[in-house]
Amino acid sequence: MTGLTHLDETGSARMVDVGGKSVTARQAVAQGRITMSAQAAAAIAAGSVQKGDVLAVARVAGIMAAKKTSDLIPLCHPLPLSKVEIELTLDAEGVTATATAATAGQTGVEMEALAAVSVTLLTVYDMAKALDKRMTIGDIRLLSKTGGKSGDWHA
């Protein structure tokens, strides 16, 4: 029909059967950014946000999101993740989050890395919204993926 694997021959949504695919080491890296006022960024850096350690809580939230991706994204396979790592870089204008997800499996971990970045940044927003309601989340994208039949890909 359209070549999209999540649609059957009638156009109905379906979960892709990955049973015949080889188990390979797979990894994906995604990144996103939240921009904010200098005041909010300074409060995060100083650890003076009333809700607590923004970056520590955001990191845990991102890891949890990666582990729950199949509960959040319809038709996404549940995966036994071997690694989820969240790197946060704070500067005077915001936070950049980079998530790495890995598994040995029959399908990729791109959605897990993207979900991790998204929830990490949403958590930063939630924890710092009293300081700056104009924060903007954006530039969420896949940076790279390795493993699987289609091979490696880098932005």
Side-chain angles (χ1 to χ4, degrees):
M1 174 165 176
T2 63
L4 297 175
T5 59
H6 282 84
L7 299 177
D8 68 13
E9 59 280 345
T10 68
S12 297
R14 68 177 176 131
M15 187 171 187
V16 175
D17 181 359
V18 297
K21 293 173 106 182
S22 298
V23 173
T24 61
R26 297 163 183 267
Q27 180 171 291
V29 180
Q31 189 174 75
R33 179 148 174 90
I34 184 167
T35 57
M36 62 188 66
S37 66
Q39 173 196 9
I44 291 171
S48 62
V49 177
Q50 285 186 332
K51 287 188 173 185
D53 185 336
V54 173
L55 300 182
V57 174
R59 183 174 288 110
V60 171
I63 293 167
M64 291 174 65
K67 293 168 54 174
K68 293 290 191 176
T69 300
S70 67
D71 292 336
L72 301 169
I73 307 295
L75 311 178
C76 196
H77 291 83
L79 298 175
L81 297 172
S82 57
K83 172 185 178 180
V84 178
E85 185 176 89
I86 310 290
E87 178 185 320
L88 298 169
T89 306
L90 174 66
D91 59 41
E93 297 174 347
V95 178
T96 299
T98 305
T100 303
T103 191
Q106 295 169 295
T107 190
V109 289
E110 296 92 350
M111 295 310 300
E112 286 72 13
L114 289 162
V117 164
S118 300
V119 172
T120 296
L121 297 173
L122 287 167
T123 302
V124 171
Y125 186 96
D126 180 55
M127 293 193 69
K129 66 187 174 203
L131 300 170
D132 182 4
K133 290 184 180 23
R134 293 181 187 227
M135 289 181 282
T136 302
I137 296 171
D139 299 326
I140 297 172
R141 65 190 186 117
L142 185 67
L143 295 180
S144 66
K145 74 103 182 155
T146 60
K149 182 180 177 183
S150 64
D152 297 353
W153 178 86
H154 300 278

